[in-house]
Amino acid sequence: MFERKVAGVHDHASGRDLLIAAEVRGNRLQGRDGDRSSNFTGTPAEIYDAADNAFVSMKIEGRNASGFDRATSSHYSLTVTDQMVQLYDHSAGAWFAFSVQVV
């Protein structure tokens, strides 16, 4: 959704910089979660998270997306503005904000 490489993510709820990097080439997504020492791969519509051994589906519509996280059995919705992601976790009933560093 950012159309550039992601070089880092800041989690506003925890105040932590997350060691996340990702890029899309063609229709293939590849990324690394350094905090969990794990990779994630797939397509933007279906991402495999190796740390959880589970898939996350995502339907992108412009600057909005929604989907289902099979590891937690929860639905989510998100909106992207500039370099900010606002994610609503339906199971938790809560909003989460992330700043994304792109290169």
Side-chain angles (χ1 to χ4, degrees):
M1 294 177 75
F2 291 100
E3 299 177 358
R4 298 191 335 211
K5 292 180 184 179
V6 171
V9 176
H10 178 78
D11 179 348
H12 290 271
S14 70
R16 292 183 47 233
D17 289 325
L18 306 177
L19 301 175
I20 294 178
E23 68 178 318
V24 174
R25 290 186 181 176
N27 193 36
R28 296 294 305 165
L29 169 78
Q30 60 183 22
R32 176 85 178 149
D33 182 337
D35 292 311
R36 298 187 307 154
S37 298
S38 181
N39 296 325
F40 50 94
T41 60
T43 67
E46 193 74 18
I47 303 164
Y48 175 71
D49 180 354
D52 290 335
N53 192 29
F55 285 88
V56 176
S57 67
M58 181 182 303
K59 181 179 180 184
I60 300 171
E61 295 177 352
R63 303 296 275 171
N64 300 304
S66 60
F68 185 73
D69 180 345
R70 290 180 183 84
T72 60
S73 297
S74 63
H75 291 273
Y76 67 89
S77 304
L78 63 85
T79 300
V80 173
T81 55
D82 297 320
Q83 292 179 320
M84 177 72 72
V85 175
Q86 295 181 349
L87 182 139
Y88 183 74
D89 181 331
H90 293 265
S91 294
W95 284 96
F96 300 92
F98 304 91
S99 295
V100 177
Q101 178 186 4
V102 296
V103 292

